[in-house]
Amino acid sequence: MRENCTICHQMQSGMHGEKLDQSKEHVKIKDLRERGYMEHGCQHYRRRCRIRAPCCNEIFHCCHCHNEAKDDIRIVPKLRHDIPCHQIKQVICLLCGTEQEVICSLCGTEQEVQQNCINCGVCMGKYFCGICKLFDDDVSKKQYHCGGCGICRTGGSENYFHCDKCGCCHSTLLKNSHACVEKAMHHDCPVCFEYLFKSMHEIAVLPCGHTIHINCLNEMRQHLQYACPLCSKSVFDMSKVWEKFDLEIAATPMPELYQNKMVWILCNDCGRTSNVKYHLIAQKCLNCKSYNTRQT
């Protein structure tokens, strides 16, 4: 009986030793993968690799770095181009310098780009998307891949939904209230002209459904521009401003020659036409009481 206990004890000790060895190996692998975490990258991403662009065969930190260099207004138009991110097949590890194009040694089949370096084993990005070939160590952005958009977004999938008509992701706060505009983000920002669909800057959806960079919208506000640059509808609550217009117009009587002059106006906010008295300051829509109008 005691002999059996000794054997069992030895077996258990052996198993315990194996578990310790496995645990140490696991820690070792983890330490290898963590090397250089958040120490490398560019202004767009924290990552431990660079990419070789399949379009021009040049090396860049990321797709945005490529596009800033190759799609700039200073580049000869016929040479400008965007990188096809989904076609990236070669990445270079920043820690060991290995350029990996993963090809199976047995069958010769080209494999997908991997998250870990095939030479030193380092993790080249805590967040990795095999579709977009995106690496990023800064996971605080809450990156996620949207199948509808076909690209990676930030902000957490639980906070956004994809609208098929708009062709983009919107905040869940707008799910039942946003105005659908077909391909809303598939155009340039109407202020800075950066392509919005792949922009890294925060984007606002206006009440009319059009989209614009939040920074550009704030800049418009600073310059007292309160209408959508695309459709001219008011982008803020202007009721207090319209009240001030009422007071100013009441305090500014028109000369007798113009007191009975009538003009037709089109309201940019509600789209209705009205026949109203002319005033030098502004004309008020009879339907929605807006002063965002123009003569027709």
Side-chain angles (χ1 to χ4, degrees), residues 124-182:
M124 294 183 287
K126 281 280 188 181
Y127 175 82
F128 169 68
C129 177
I131 300 174
C132 299
K133 310 301 187 293
L134 176 62
F135 299 80
D136 197 355
D137 273 337
D138 185 7
V139 293
S140 65
K141 301 173 186 177
K142 296 184 178 179
Q143 302 94 326
Y144 68 97
H145 182 84
C146 173
C149 290
I151 60 175
C152 290
R153 298 287 190 194
T154 59
S157 58
E158 70 279 5
N159 298 318
Y160 290 86
F161 74 97
H162 182 83
C163 176
D164 290 327
K165 184 175 180 180
C166 294
C168 58
C169 290
H170 291 306
S171 168
T172 51
L173 298 174
L174 301 174
K175 191 163 188 177
N176 299 315
S177 59
H178 78 286
C180 273
V181 173
E182 192 167 356

Side-chain angles (χ1 to χ4, degrees), residues 70-84:
K70 295 297 183 178
D71 198 29
D72 190 85
I73 193 170
R74 292 167 292 184
I75 304 295
V76 178
K78 67 178 182 180
L79 298 179
R80 291 180 202 163
H81 65 279
D82 284 342
I83 185 172

Side-chain angles (χ1 to χ4, degrees), residues 44 80 117 223:
H44 307 109
R80 291 180 202 163
C117 176
H223 287 84

Side-chain angles (χ1 to χ4, degrees), residues 184-185 187-192 196 201-206 209-220 227-230 235:
M185 257 187 242
H187 61 79
D188 297 337
C189 172
V191 174
C192 69
L196 288 173
H201 302 293
E202 199 169 355
I203 296 169
V205 181
L206 304 179
H210 292 123
T211 50
I212 186 174
H213 285 130
I214 286 182
N215 288 339
C216 294
L217 182 62
N218 291 335
E219 190 175 340
M220 282 176 51
C228 172
L230 297 175
V235 298

